[in-house]
Amino acid sequence: MHRQQILDLYEWADGICFRHPEQGQMPTTIVGVIHPAAECEKPVRGCEDCVIAMEDTRREHARREGEEYEPGHVGVP
């Protein structure tokens, strides 16, 4: 799949990327959830570049493990 096809698998909204907070608001998607002590769970948002990097990591892991890779599941347990 091409970059845009992978990105189209996610729902995007303006937010702050967990790796690039200095860039301010940008299109992000939820890539995880954290559970801080004494607080409600908080979504972790990632930008397009981070999602592509995470998808690349998932693809490589699947290849090494002999598993099938299916894009669109960053942040899904």
Side-chain angles (χ1 to χ4, degrees):
M1 287 185 111
H2 297 306
R3 176 185 170 97
Q4 192 58 52
Q5 290 172 308
I6 293 171
L7 294 174
D8 288 346
L9 297 172
Y10 293 92
E11 292 183 28
W12 298 91
D14 282 346
I16 304 293
C17 176
F18 76 103
R19 289 187 66 197
H20 305 108
E22 71 283 353
Q23 293 184 14
Q25 294 281 322
M26 65 173 76
T28 61
T29 192
I30 296 174
V31 295
V33 177
I34 58 172
H35 303 275
E39 292 184 37
C40 299
E41 68 180 28
K42 305 244 183 212
V44 176
R45 302 191 72 83
C47 68
E48 293 177 356
D49 289 342
C50 289
V51 168
I52 293 299
M54 287 184 264
E55 286 286 3
D56 289 344
T57 299
R58 291 183 62 247
R59 184 183 310 110
E60 178 59 24
H61 179 267
R63 185 193 63 76
R64 281 193 319 268
E65 297 296 319
E67 298 173 354
E68 185 176 339
Y69 164 71
E70 184 179 337
H73 299 287
V74 167
V76 177

